[in-house]
Amino acid sequence: MSVIHCDIALPAGFRPQDILAFHRRDGERLAEQVDDDGLKKGLLWRGLPACLDLRFRSGRAILSLDVDGESGDAGELERMGRRMLGLNQPVEAFERQYRGHPQLGGLIAARAGLRVPQTATPFEALAWAITGQQISVAAAVTIRRRMLLLCDCRHSSGLLCHPDAARLAALTADQLGEAGFSRAKSRAILALSQAAVSGELPLDAWLDGAAAEEISERLLAVPGIGPWTVSYALLRGYGWLDGSLHGDVAVRKALGMVLGAADKPDQRQTQAWLEAFSPWRALVAAHLWALLQAGGF
């Protein structure tokens, strides 16, 4: 067993509540446990069960990673922590450009400094995106919980760890079906996992700066992965802020509220409205999610 530590300075106006809300989705606290000043999360670290403890102090994030095995790299932990906290996202430039916008200005003023919390790994973001296709957040949380229990990868603390591609690739479509996945989603999860294990989809290597267009093209070739899933995974897994989430029901509902429309806009109308905000379309979607006070996916 080894413990790794790092201390990350936070920018002025950082919003810890957004990070905590993102990890508070599952009320059963099997894999993430959130309290007033931080969280504990089970994850796999170089294939080993680990527990991340993240604490927010005055202007700082203090991270400790307890690994069930000998594995330690504070620099790697800091890079993961910065991604999870959204610190690589240039939100200040977005806010300077649009704080006077007739529709966005009010959203930005209400949540200045809003960043998009990211998953610990790109694979976790993709697995969650596939799970959440065309269902509610509550339903997706339930299926995710069953998937974690099915894989039963636990840290010594008792926290469940999100499975990696190798563990999911070892499952069958029938097992995933018992957890609540549709046949199509089971095929997509397995195809993604197998491609990641084989190296056909080098998900972690893409963190070093692969172009979003290349990642999109490769992911869209996986059966069962469409534009919404790719845009979501690029946002939550890679911090790419220009995916168009016009197919998201919550985004459309919130946009209808912003525009004062009687009904939520359709996908075509939402896509056209978001297009004006490129290269910030996904960040605009995050502000729309926040308007509903539900955090979106």
Side-chain angles (χ1 to χ4, degrees), residues 197-219:
V197 170
S198 71
E200 181 183 347
L201 293 176
L203 302 177
D204 290 339
W206 285 339
L207 286 168
D208 293 333
E213 293 76 14
E214 177 191 353
I215 299 174
S216 296
E217 182 179 352
R218 301 277 292 278
L219 291 177

Side-chain angles (χ1 to χ4, degrees), residues 160-178:
L160 286 169
C161 303
H162 193 284
D164 57 11
R167 285 168 171 80
L168 276 179
L171 300 178
T172 66
D174 287 341
Q175 287 175 304
L176 288 170
E178 291 172 4

